[in-house]
Amino acid sequence: MVNNSRFLPFRRVAVIGAGTMGAQIAAHLANAGVKVLLLDLAASEGAKSDALVKQRLKIASKLKPNPFFTKAALQRIDCGTIEHDIEKISEAEWIIEAVVERLDIKQALLEKIEKYGSPDSIVSTNTSGIPIHLLAAECSIEFRQRFLGTHFFNPPRYLRLLEVIAHKDTNSEVLDRIEWYARVCLGKDVVYANDVPYFIGNRVGIYGMMGAIHQFIHEGFTIEEIDTLTGPLVGRPRSGTFRTADLVGLDVMQLVCSNLYDSVPEDESREWFLIPDVLENLVSKGAFGAKSGAGFYRKEGRQILSMDLSSGTYTPPAELDLGDLGKIKTAGSLQNRLSALFENEERAGTFFRATMLDLMAYASRRVGEITDNPASIDRAICSGFGWEIGPFATWDAIGFDKVRKAMIQEGHMLPDWVRDMPGEASFYESHATRVYIPAQKEYITQKTPASEQSLKSIKRKSGGDLWSNEESGLIDLGDGVVLFEFRSKACTLGAKVISGIMEVVDLVENDPDLCGLVIGNEGTHFSVGANLAEMAEAVQSRKFEKIDWYIARFQSSMQRVHYARKPVVVAAHQRALGGGCELMMSAVHPVAAAETYAGLVELGVGLIPAGTGSMRLASKASKKNRGYDSNLLFDVMQYFETVAKAVVSTSAEEARDLGFLPNHACIVMNGLERFHAAKHEILRLSAQGYRPPVQEKFRVLGRPGAAALCTAAYQLHQGRFISDYDLYLAKKLAYIFTGGGLSGAEEVTESYLLDLEREVFLSLLGEPKTQERIAGILKHNRPVRN
C-alpha cells in the first residue's frame, strides 16, 4: 500500500469521452480541485463545435445524486472536441480515455493520445472489461510503460472502488502514483485486478446479480421478495437486485452480460451470463430502467409496480411469502442475521443458500485468475456494489466448514485450495488484518495505510478505552491526542453522550499529558441529532423540566467544545443533521469528510435548532458584517431561509457555503482519513500555542429584522415551499434570529440567544402538530407534512 510523500497531486487532467462515465469522472476530478479538459466528438461532422460536449456536461450536472460538490467545481472543466482540441492534451499530466467500449475505437484514440500527449503524462483507460494489454498492443514500449487501466464505478463520486489494472510493461512508479492520488485525493479504495476480461467487480458482482435473476425466472420468487432478501437485511444497499439493475440501465446490463459471455470462454460458469429472455424483451421494448421510466419496476402515479413474469405485465406488489423475517431482523448484528438466514428453513433461507453458496463458490474459483487475493474480491464487491461484507467475509461469518460442507452437498465445484483448507480454518484471521493467500498457502497481513486505521484497530493496539460510559468511550490516538467516540444507537446525541462530552473535555483540559480532543465515530452516519425517543417519552410524561435540563445541558456541552482551553476537533462524515450539525458547528477547527451532508433540519420535526445552531448562525452573520445592518439582513436572511427550508448540503464543500462549516475547515476526500487529519490538526494547533476563542457580543436586528424574515417566510409559503405549520415555525425561528422582542438592532450575548432557543423549543414541544411530526419520524422514519 503506497503512502509516500514523494508524490504530488495532479494539476491538469484530460478526460476523453464525455459520455455517462467520462463526464462524471471529469466532475469528480474537478471536485478534487483539478483543472480538467473534457473532449469528445464535435457536434456535427466537420463542425468546430463543442456543443455536444457541453450538452453532455450539462446533463451530468443535473444528475441525482449530483456528481459535483458545488457549482464552483463545474467551472474547473474546459470543454473541447477531439477533432480540433486534441493538441491541448499535451498540458495534461494524466490522460483518461473513456470512450465507447470498442477495441478498435479505443486503439485508434490511444494512437492519437501517444502522438499529441506529453511523453511524461500517465495514460489510463476506463474500460470496464477489455484487457489492457490488447488496448496498448500497437503502441510503443515507452507509451506502454506509462499506460494502465483505471476502472471507475458508476457513479464515480459515490462508489469508492477504483480497479487498477497493470499489464506486463506498466511501470511500477506509475502504479504507485495513481494509487496514492486516487486514494488520498479522490477518496478511492484502490484494488489491483489482473488483466483479464471484466476484472474483479463486474465479473463477480454481475454473476451474483444474474444468480438472483435466475431465482426470479426459474424458482418463483417475486421481484419484491428478491429485493428484500438482497437489501439491508443482508448488509447491502436498499436498491437490492432489481432496483440496482434499473438504476444501472437494463441496456447496459445486457451489453455487459453479452460481452462477458463472449470474453470468458474458459469460465466453467459462463452460461450464467447468457441474457435471459425477460431482460432481452424489456430492452427491446425500450424499458431500460430508471432512465426510461420503466424496467423491472415502473411507477404509475404514486404506486410502484413490478414486472410479473407469468403475465409479462406490471402489477402491484404481492404480499411477501418469506416466512417470519422478524426473527431474522431481530437476530442482531449482520453476522447473526446471515447465520440465521443460512439456517432458515423457509423460502427466505432457501433463496439465501441457493444464491450465496453459488456466489461464494464462484468467487473461490476465480482466485488465481482475476486476483490472487480473496480480500481483493471482497473489497471490490464492498466498494463497487455497496455490500457491508464480501463473499469470503460472509463465508467466514457463517462458518467456513459449515459452508464448505453445504457446497459439497449441493454439488458446487470448489477449487483444490478450498478443499485442502482444514475444517477450523477461515479466510481471515487476527480481526481480519490477515488474509489467506492460496498461491502462498499462508496468511499475509493486509496493508492498510496508517492514515486509514479503523478505531477498532487503534483501540486494540492501545489496550481499550481510557474512559467510558454506556454510550461513549475515550480512545488513545497517540502523541497526546484522544478521541471521544459516541456509540449510541444511530449515533444520536442523548443525555449520556452529552454528559460524556462535558466530562471528557474536563478530563483533557486537566491532564498535562494530553494536548487535544477529537470527537467522532465510525457509524454509518456522524449523527442524525438528538435522541427523539427520549424526548417523546418525556413529553408524554409531561416532564418538561427534564427536557429543559437536557436542552440546557446540550447547549452547555456545545459551548464547552467551542471554548475549550485545548483544541477540540469534531470529525464529521456522511449525515450530520440537527444536533449532529450543531456539534460539528461548535468546533472551531472541524474536519469533515468530503461526503458530509449537513443541515439544521429541526423544522421538519416541528422544532427549531436549540443546541446553539440558531445562535451560531446569527452570530456568524453579525461577525461578517460588523456595523452594517443592511448587509447583516442579507446574510441573516440567507441563513434563515436555509434553516426554514431544512436545506441539507450535498457535500462538505456546500456545507461550508451554507454556513455549517467555517471557511478554514479541513475537508478530506478520503473519509477514512478523517481521524488521521483531525489528530494532526490537534497537533498543529497545540504546537503553535492554541488560543481558544473569546466570547463576544454580536448584533441582531430586532423586530424590524423579524418582519423582513417573516415576509420572506410568507413568500416561501405562497410559493408552496413550506406548509402552514412550517410558516408558523419559521416565524418562531425569525423571533430567535433577530433577538426576540427587541425594538431595534442591538448587541446581545450568546447566552441571551441561547435562552431564546430554549424558550421557543420548549413551547413548540407542547404543540400537537410538533408531536405528530416527532411521532411520524419515530414510527415511519420520515417527516409528516402537516
Side-chain angles (χ1 to χ4, degrees):
M1 184 67 66
V2 178
N3 189 17
N4 200 313
S5 60
R6 73 179 184 274
F7 296 120
L8 297 174
F10 296 108
R11 289 174 295 187
R12 298 187 68 87
V13 176
V15 178
I16 306 179
T20 300
M21 285 301 294
Q24 290 191 74
I25 291 169
H28 196 49
L29 287 162
N31 289 336
V34 175
K35 190 70 176 175
V36 183
L37 174 66
L38 180 62
L39 302 181
D40 208 322
L41 299 174
S44 60
E45 189 174 347
K48 188 177 180 180
S49 171
D50 57 5
L52 179 63
V53 186
K54 288 181 176 178
Q55 179 188 15
R56 289 178 171 177
L57 186 60
K58 184 178 180 180
I59 291 171
S61 71
K62 296 182 181 300
L63 290 174
K64 300 295 180 185
N66 198 329
F68 290 97
F69 286 168
T70 62
K71 291 179 180 178
L74 182 61
Q75 306 307 312
R76 300 188 189 111
I77 300 177
D78 293 327
C79 295
T81 66
I82 296 172
E83 294 88 339
H84 298 94
D85 299 294
I86 191 70
E87 297 92 346
K88 293 179 181 178
I89 68 172
S90 63
E91 301 175 7
E93 300 163 272
W94 181 14
I95 303 169
I96 302 172
E97 173 275 302
V99 297
V100 65
E101 285 286 286
R102 274 183 48 184
L103 178 62
D104 58 336
I105 293 176
K106 287 180 179 289
Q107 285 178 328
L109 179 57
L110 289 175
E111 185 178 336
K112 289 184 178 181
I113 292 173
E114 182 170 14
K115 178 179 179 181
Y116 293 105
S118 165
D120 297 322
S121 65
I122 293 173
V123 181
S124 70
T125 173
N126 183 55
T127 179
S128 60
I130 301 174
I132 307 306
H133 67 276
L134 295 179
L135 291 169
E138 302 302 317
C139 298
S140 67
I141 182 63
E142 290 80 13
F143 182 87
R144 294 201 303 271
Q145 287 173 345
R146 52 192 175 89
F147 179 69
L148 71 157
T150 51
H151 180 211
F152 291 81
F153 272 60
N154 190 19
R157 172 184 164 183
Y158 298 96
L159 287 181
R160 293 189 64 238
L161 178 61
L162 179 70
E163 290 180 321
V164 169
I165 310 100
H167 58 95
K168 66 182 180 64
D169 296 321
T170 309
N171 188 294
S172 61
E173 283 281 316
V174 168
L175 295 172
D176 288 349
R177 187 178 184 193
I178 289 294
E179 179 190 341
W180 173 84
Y181 182 80
R183 180 174 58 80
V184 174
C185 301
L186 298 181
K188 293 298 178 183
D189 180 12
V190 176
V191 175
Y192 283 95
N194 291 343
D195 189 17
V196 294
Y198 287 87
F199 317 125
I200 299 175
N202 280 340
R203 187 75 172 275
V204 177
I206 296 297
Y207 184 90
M209 291 181 71
M210 295 306 290
I213 293 173
H214 174 89
Q215 294 290 312
F216 167 61
I217 298 170
H218 298 290
E219 302 300 333
F221 286 90
T222 67
I223 284 176
E224 287 83 6
E225 286 173 338
I226 291 173
D227 277 357
T228 297
L229 295 173
T230 56
L233 182 69
V234 292
R236 302 181 203 170
R238 294 184 181 278
S239 52
T241 297
F242 290 98
R243 288 189 193 280
T244 297
D246 277 357
L247 289 169
V248 169
L250 302 192
D251 53 335
V252 174
M253 192 167 180
Q254 182 189 49
L255 179 63
V256 169
C257 287
S258 176
N259 289 342
L260 249 173
Y261 181 82
D262 294 338
S263 302
V264 291
E266 304 302 320
D267 189 328
E268 73 290 331
S269 301
R270 70 190 290 244
E271 301 300 315
W272 224 233
F273 299 117
L274 283 172
I275 302 166
D277 290 343
V278 63
L279 179 59
E280 196 163 343
N281 291 338
L282 285 169
V283 172
S284 69
K285 295 174 182 176
F288 301 143
K291 59 188 172 186
S292 66
F296 285 113
Y297 287 98
R298 188 175 76 189
K299 187 175 183 180
E300 290 187 3
R302 293 187 175 183
Q303 191 172 27
I304 304 294
L305 308 179
S306 64
M307 172 60 62
D308 176 70
L309 190 62
S310 58
S311 66
T313 61
Y314 292 95
T315 60
E319 187 174 344
L320 301 182
D321 180 21
L322 297 174
D324 186 6
L325 288 183
K327 290 182 180 178
I328 308 296
K329 294 176 181 177
T330 57
S333 67
L334 176 57
Q335 179 174 344
N336 290 344
R337 297 199 304 274
L338 295 174
S339 296
L341 263 176
F342 191 80
E343 301 294 343
N344 183 273
E345 294 299 325
E346 298 175 300
R347 292 181 76 241
T350 300
F351 174 89
F352 181 74
R353 287 187 297 275
T355 53
M356 283 309 300
L357 288 175
D358 183 48
L359 178 62
M360 291 184 287
Y362 182 76
S364 70
R365 296 195 299 271
R366 299 283 70 80
V367 174
E369 178 194 352
I370 61 178
T371 178
D372 295 330
N373 189 342
S376 294
I377 294 177
D378 278 357
R379 286 172 54 205
I381 295 300
C382 291
S383 295
F385 288 80
W387 292 24
E388 289 184 37
I389 61 174
F392 292 102
T394 298
W395 195 330
D396 276 358
I398 298 169
F400 171 77
D401 202 39
K402 180 189 295 185
V403 170
R404 181 171 61 177
K405 286 177 180 176
M407 287 176 174
I408 293 171
Q409 184 176 342
E410 294 295 324
H412 293 287
M413 289 184 289
L414 288 175
D416 290 341
W417 69 271
V418 171
R419 289 181 177 273
D420 292 342
M421 290 176 71
E424 69 278 6
S426 62
F427 297 105
Y428 296 94
E429 64 174 22
S430 300
H431 304 285
T433 60
R434 290 164 57 81
V435 62
Y436 184 74
I437 305 297
Q440 300 177 28
K441 295 184 178 180
E442 64 178 348
Y443 290 88
I444 66 166
T445 300
Q446 297 193 75
K447 297 177 182 178
T448 302
S451 58
E452 293 185 11
Q453 291 290 316
S454 69
L455 293 184
K456 288 182 180 178
S457 175
I458 293 169
K459 186 175 170 181
R460 282 196 302 269
K461 292 176 182 177
S462 64
D465 289 332
L466 301 174
W467 167 97
S468 66
N469 68 14
E470 296 92 328
E471 294 188 344
S472 53
L474 194 64
I475 299 171
D476 184 6
L477 297 182
D479 300 317
V481 180
V482 290
L483 181 139
F484 176 82
E485 180 191 20
F486 51 106
R487 306 156 182 165
S488 50
K489 185 177 180 181
C491 297
T492 54
L493 300 172
K496 290 184 176 65
V497 174
I498 293 305
S499 294
I501 291 174
M502 298 280 280
E503 190 173 340
V504 164
V505 172
D506 284 345
L507 186 154
V508 170
E509 282 188 338
N510 292 303
D511 189 330
D513 295 325
L514 298 178
C515 59
L517 172 69
V518 177
I519 297 177
N521 61 66
E522 286 185 315
T524 303
H525 302 288
F526 174 69
S527 178
V528 293
N531 189 326
L532 284 178
E534 282 185 3
M535 205 166 295
E537 182 182 347
V539 170
Q540 289 174 357
S541 305
R542 313 300 293 175
K543 296 179 179 177
F544 288 98
E545 71 286 347
K546 180 179 179 181
I547 299 174
D548 188 28
W549 173 88
Y550 168 74
I551 298 302
R553 185 80 167 163
F554 194 108
Q555 292 176 335
S556 296
S557 67
M558 298 302 102
Q559 292 292 79
R560 195 76 182 85
V561 167
H562 190 75
Y563 291 108
R565 289 175 292 165
K566 291 182 181 178
V568 178
V569 171
V570 173
H573 69 288
Q574 291 295 311
R575 292 181 187 171
L577 304 178
C581 183
E582 289 173 309
L583 176 55
M584 182 181 76
M585 292 170 68
S586 71
V588 182
H589 296 276
V591 168
E595 299 299 341
T596 296
Y597 316 119
L600 295 174
V601 296
E602 286 84 350
L603 269 74
V605 290
L607 298 168
I608 52 89
T612 71
S614 299
M615 178 275 292
R616 203 79 67 196
L617 289 178
S619 172
K620 187 169 190 170
S622 174
K623 289 172 182 175
K624 286 172 66 177
N625 300 281
R626 295 182 188 274
Y628 299 96
D629 288 351
S630 57
N631 291 341
L632 173 57
L633 177 60
F634 174 80
D635 284 305
V636 169
M637 183 73 75
Q638 282 192 314
Y639 293 149
F640 168 76
E641 290 189 357
T642 295
V643 179
K645 292 191 290 185
V647 175
V648 176
S649 73
T650 59
S651 67
E653 295 278 1
E654 189 181 28
R656 186 155 52 191
D657 293 345
L658 293 172
F660 300 138
L661 286 170
N663 290 334
H664 62 264
C666 173
I667 297 175
V668 292
M669 289 292 285
N670 187 336
L672 296 179
E673 298 197 330
R674 64 188 183 278
F675 299 125
H676 178 77
K679 173 183 174 179
H680 283 272
E681 185 74 347
I682 293 283
L683 295 175
R684 177 187 70 82
L685 292 166
S686 180
Q688 71 184 33
Y690 183 65
R691 291 178 293 176
V694 177
Q695 286 207 36
E696 297 176 320
K697 288 185 175 182
F698 58 93
R699 195 167 181 82
V700 292
L701 293 171
R703 285 200 294 267
L709 298 187
C710 289
T711 300
Y714 177 75
Q715 290 171 343
L716 290 174
H717 177 261
Q718 291 299 103
R720 298 188 177 181
F721 292 104
I722 60 176
S723 68
D724 292 346
Y725 193 57
D726 290 329
L727 176 60
Y728 173 76
L729 296 170
K731 290 178 179 178
K732 294 287 188 180
L733 183 68
Y735 175 80
I736 299 170
F737 266 52
T738 56
L742 299 176
S743 60
E746 193 173 321
E747 297 276 320
V748 298
T749 63
E750 291 184 349
S751 60
Y752 174 81
L753 229 64
L754 293 180
D755 288 342
L756 290 179
E757 283 187 357
R758 202 163 61 253
E759 169 197 320
V760 172
F761 189 94
L762 288 168
S763 70
L764 291 174
L765 277 175
E767 295 281 352
K769 288 192 175 182
T770 289
Q771 294 172 16
E772 286 175 16
R773 290 191 177 193
I774 293 174
I777 285 287
L778 292 175
K779 188 174 181 179
H780 304 292
N781 197 30
R782 61 176 180 267
V784 174
R785 191 81 185 271
N786 54 8

